[in-house]
Amino acid sequence: MNQMTTRRSGGRAARRASRAAPLNETLRPVRPGMEGGTLNLLSPAQIGKIHHAALEALEEIGLADAPQSGIDHMTAAGAILGEDGRLRFPRALVEDTLARANRGITLHGRDPAHDLQLSGARVHYGTAGAAVHMVDVEGQHYRESTLQDLYDAARIADTLDNIHFLQRPMVARDIEDACEMELNTVYACCSGTSKHVGTSFTDPTHAREAIKLLHMIAGGEEAWRARPFVSNSNCFVVPPMKFATESCQVMEACIEGGMPVLLLSAGMAGATAPSTVAGAIVQATAECLAGLVYVNAIAPGHPAIFGTWPFGLDLRSGAMTGGSGEQALLSAGCAQMHRFYDLPGGAVGGIADSKLPDMQAGWEQMCSNVMAGLSGLNMVYEAAGMHASLLGFCHESLILGDDLIGQALRCVRGIEVDDATLALDQMREVCLGGPGHYLGTAATLGRMQADHVYPSLGDRTSPKEWDECGKPDLVDKARARKEAILATPSAARLNPALDAEIRKAFNIHLPM
């Protein structure tokens, strides 16, 4: 009897070890770039109304405050500069731009295994934001974010299967000089992950310096231009309907340097955008269409992401509502507009207004992440780690977000219906003289890894098992995983000789 127990226990242990090992790529139940688009909140008629309203806004209202260089590019393409200083965009110009815009772009990783194909309804989740605080879950307080925090976030994201890209999620507030902060942001992100990186710049000279740094990391300008692994997150507009002059100049420098751009319109519904969901989508669409004209007037076909990022607002208090149902609707509606134009697009998902990774954060993050994915949003930004309506970032929450996004991606994958999944042969085998259940059958075991997403940290034990294991806490488990990740050298760290060259050329604040 004892011998039988040992044999069975050993088999179970082997099976558990096998299941804990990384899955072969062909068996992974979810992966980057899965096709969404099954959720369509807007009817074709409603999409048409939003499109025509955006065109009307561009033709009749236009945008103010473009830099002279932008005015020159856009008027040469067919925009009209009014006596009031506003640029207006004839419908024919917008339609011509849409016809020649880049419809399928690749966001490269420093490691080609992390390349992201942006087209159609392919879905990718990642970080973003400009949080100024870190969430200390142990002490339950907020402190200023640092360059080390950013580097650690990059290192953690590099290990998480369901975090597909790293856009800078926080500001390194321990570096006072703006140029040095932005250069060190690029360095910290690129030395922490080999996934695609997104970041922003406040001045075109900073962008040009960063591109010099990226040439060094890539192995030369030619190598960089062939595979640009960093994109510029560019708030080129100040809603409502104004160009952000300095950001536009940054965008021009990034286009010149071969860097993909995220055209980011981030109006607040009820403050800097109309309070209705439809109206906020109209304004964001109009602003991004103007940005698309701008980019293509400079460099036709340059890789640009249609970044409609309207945010929700609590009209009682003026507080941002990134975790609301309205926010989920805004991003899902924007995703449909991206699909209507057949343009690579991005919007927000996964923001928590909650201050800590608690139950409120869970429902807020899952609601918008699932709806964005089902709507076929190419780039779901701010999908993990963001708290306090983008003011705080949490490493533990980033790790927990990997589990959460795994479940969201399983929803995106949907339900396959074919002869194998209908399972009539299994039903015959089990019910007609079989064991009367499907546990342990060849078909069940054969598909258990490919069909099901198993959480890394989420607890599915019984109350008895949970008690016997010491009543593990989810956040404590995330903290332990964070410590284990950060105790290991970064897999994306730069070659020591290259790192030394970079440190000679730039004032790098991270210790060696």
Side-chain angles (χ1 to χ4, degrees):
M1 183 70 177
N2 288 340
Q3 188 176 6
M4 182 179 294
T5 302
T6 301
R7 185 163 56 246
R8 291 183 64 190
S9 176
R12 184 182 299 114
R15 288 193 298 274
R16 284 178 174 170
S18 175
R19 292 166 194 160
L23 284 177
N24 183 288
E25 189 65 26
T26 59
L27 285 178
R28 287 182 63 185
V30 295
R31 63 198 71 195
M34 297 184 70
E35 289 278 343
T38 55
L39 177 64
N40 295 296
L41 298 174
L42 298 169
S43 69
Q46 290 172 323
I47 290 172
K49 287 181 179 180
I50 290 172
H51 168 60
H52 288 296
L55 291 181
E56 189 170 334
L58 287 172
E59 201 165 40
E60 296 183 3
I61 302 169
L63 277 75
D65 296 344
Q68 187 59 50
S69 54
I71 291 172
D72 294 343
H73 285 300
M74 287 182 275
T75 54
I80 299 168
L81 181 63
E83 292 183 2
D84 57 0
R86 302 184 74 89
L87 277 172
R88 291 174 173 84
F89 301 81
R91 292 181 182 229
L93 170 60
V94 178
E95 289 165 354
D96 288 347
T97 298
L98 286 167
R100 70 173 187 266
N102 197 330
R103 285 182 150 59
I105 68 177
T106 300
L107 291 183
H108 297 283
R110 197 152 57 84
D111 180 346
H114 296 310
D115 286 358
L116 307 179
Q117 307 300 326
L118 272 57
S119 63
R122 296 173 179 268
V123 179
H124 308 87
Y125 289 89
T127 63
V132 293
H133 294 104
M134 284 296 297
V135 182
D136 181 335
V137 293
E138 191 169 7
Q140 295 196 344
H141 71 271
Y142 278 48
R143 60 169 176 80
E144 290 192 351
S145 50
T146 68
L147 184 66
Q148 184 68 49
D149 294 324
L150 177 60
Y151 177 56
D152 290 345
R155 293 182 58 196
I156 292 167
D158 195 58
T159 69
L160 303 177
D161 286 344
N162 300 318
I163 304 298
H164 304 142
F165 61 92
L166 178 88
Q167 185 156 309
R168 176 216 60 190
M170 73 194 81
V171 177
R173 297 188 71 189
D174 54 337
I175 303 178
E176 293 184 4
D177 181 83
C179 185
E180 286 196 9
M181 186 268 285
E182 290 166 10
L183 291 171
N184 275 270
T185 293
V186 170
Y187 174 88
C189 291
C190 290
S191 59
T193 182
S194 57
K195 298 179 180 181
H196 185 80
V197 167
T199 192
S200 61
F201 307 102
T202 55
D203 187 279
T205 60
H206 303 178
R208 294 187 182 100
E209 285 299 299
I211 289 169
K212 292 177 185 176
L213 168 59
L214 291 167
H215 289 172
M216 295 181 70
I217 296 173
E221 181 176 358
E222 184 177 350
W224 157 256
R225 287 185 178 273
R227 293 184 51 83
F229 47 85
V230 173
S231 56
N232 173 226
S233 174
N234 193 286
C235 295
F236 71 103
V237 287
V238 179
M241 304 293 280
K242 292 182 180 180
F243 286 108
T245 307
E246 294 82 3
S247 292
C248 289
Q249 293 167 338
V250 167
M251 182 175 72
E252 292 179 18
C254 289
I255 292 171
E256 179 186 348
M259 184 180 286
V261 295
L262 164 64
L263 295 167
L264 202 163
S265 161
M268 298 287 292
T272 57
S275 62
T276 61
V277 173
I281 294 173
V282 168
Q283 182 178 298
T285 299
E287 290 169 343
C288 284
L289 285 172
L292 199 68
V293 171
Y294 198 157
V295 169
N296 283 273
I298 297 171
H302 185 82
I305 301 166
F306 202 77
T308 46
W309 287 33
F311 290 109
L313 192 70
D314 189 321
L315 295 175
R316 302 168 303 175
S317 64
M320 181 181 167
T321 57
S324 65
E326 292 84 7
Q327 182 63 66
L329 291 169
L330 284 165
S331 293
C334 287
Q336 274 193 264
M337 296 309 298
H338 307 164
R339 286 162 48 209
F340 169 72
Y341 293 123
D342 190 24
L343 292 172
V348 300
I351 301 167
D353 300 319
S354 175
K355 311 308 175 285
L356 295 168
D358 54 15
M359 184 174 177
Q360 178 184 338
W363 84 58
E364 290 173 335
Q365 291 168 338
M366 182 58 95
C367 179
S368 56
N369 272 330
V370 168
M371 286 184 62
L374 291 177
S375 299
L377 186 61
N378 290 152
M379 298 287 280
V380 187
Y381 294 96
E382 298 171 339
M386 298 304 297
H387 288 269
S389 308
L390 302 183
L391 292 175
F393 187 80
C394 178
H395 288 146
E396 288 83 358
S397 188
L398 173 62
I399 291 168
L400 295 172
D402 185 60
D403 260 1
L404 183 150
I405 292 169
Q407 301 304 316
L409 279 166
R410 186 60 185 91
C411 296
V412 171
R413 175 178 161 182
I415 303 170
E416 295 92 0
V417 179
D418 54 31
D419 289 345
T421 61
L422 289 170
L424 276 172
D425 288 345
Q426 292 183 56
M427 294 167 66
R428 290 188 186 98
E429 181 182 340
V430 165
C431 299
L432 300 178
H437 62 79
Y438 299 89
L439 294 170
T441 66
T444 297
L445 293 175
R447 298 184 64 98
M448 66 175 291
Q449 297 283 30
D451 280 358
H452 299 269
V453 175
Y454 300 96
S456 298
L457 298 180
D459 192 335
R460 291 176 172 174
T461 61
S462 69
K464 182 176 182 293
E465 291 172 309
W466 173 74
D467 187 63
E468 290 171 348
C469 291
K471 303 177 182 177
D473 175 82
L474 192 59
V475 175
D476 287 344
K477 290 164 73 174
R479 186 187 301 113
R481 186 171 181 197
K482 176 189 77 171
E483 291 169 356
I485 292 169
L486 299 181
T488 304
S490 168
R493 63 192 182 278
L494 303 177
N495 175 282
L498 170 61
D499 192 66
E501 286 183 36
I502 290 172
R503 289 174 183 273
K504 285 181 183 177
F506 301 95
N507 185 15
I508 299 301
H509 288 238
L510 277 175
M512 298 197 55

